[in-house]
Amino acid sequence: MSYQTPYFKEWPQIKSAIAKDTAIENEVANIVAQMTIEEKLGQMIQPDLRGVTPAEAKQYKLGSILNGGGAWPNENKHSSAQDWSDKADEFWHAIEEAYADRPFRIPFMWATDAVHGHNNVFSATVFPHNIGLGAARDLS
């Protein structure tokens, strides 16, 4: 049996449980209208921590970075929680400086690939995957 994806002449209308806030929508449209092409591109790029510096994040006005599996601050596998915090702050401050002369502000986001818990942080507590939690026989 083969599965065929349904074709919709028009996509079904989806009603979100979160109501649209016109003030927020207007503010977003206002900011996007003021952004340069370079700033918009920077918001769409999410390089890995190992491939970008805070100076480059500032130069390209990056919207976020990803620390994926095997990435650590300063390539130090034994980085402390403070090292992680300091590295995130370096990027945050770089982006704050990048937008300092602009009439709007776009906060920097740090993305972590940590499905099971942040096992990149040395000595961190790592929780079992959801299927493991579900099989723990705790009925409460």
Side-chain angles (χ1 to χ4, degrees), residues 91-111:
F91 281 94
W92 176 270
H93 291 298
I95 298 305
E96 288 293 304
E97 288 176 22
Y99 282 97
D101 64 342
R102 303 295 279 138
F104 55 85
R105 179 178 170 277
I106 298 180
F108 179 75
M109 292 189 297
W110 180 284

Side-chain angles (χ1 to χ4, degrees), residues 7 14 30 37 63 69 74 83 87 107-108 115 120:
Y7 173 79
I14 296 174
N30 180 38
I37 294 294
N74 309 313
D83 294 332
K87 184 56 70 177
F108 179 75
V115 176
N120 283 6

Side-chain angles (χ1 to χ4, degrees), residues 3-19:
Y3 177 78
Q4 187 173 5
T5 304
Y7 173 79
F8 299 106
K9 189 170 184 173
E10 291 186 30
W11 284 97
Q13 193 79 7
I14 296 174
K15 182 165 172 49
S16 174
I18 302 170

Side-chain angles (χ1 to χ4, degrees), residues 27-43:
E27 182 62 21
V28 169
N30 180 38
I31 290 171
V32 171
Q34 296 178 69
M35 292 174 74
T36 65
I37 294 294
E38 293 81 7
E39 289 169 340
K40 291 173 184 175
L41 286 171
Q43 292 301 304

Side-chain angles (χ1 to χ4, degrees), residues 55-100:
E56 291 168 329
K58 179 180 177 181
Q59 176 184 357
Y60 298 111
K61 295 187 177 180
L62 298 179
S64 65
I65 62 164
L66 170 68
N67 82 281
W72 306 285
N74 309 313
E75 295 295 324
N76 178 5
K77 184 176 184 173
H78 297 100
S79 292
S80 67
Q82 186 63 55
D83 294 332
W84 282 95
S85 178
D86 291 345
K87 184 56 70 177
D89 284 349
E90 287 177 35
F91 281 94
W92 176 270
H93 291 298
I95 298 305
E96 288 293 304
E97 288 176 22
Y99 282 97

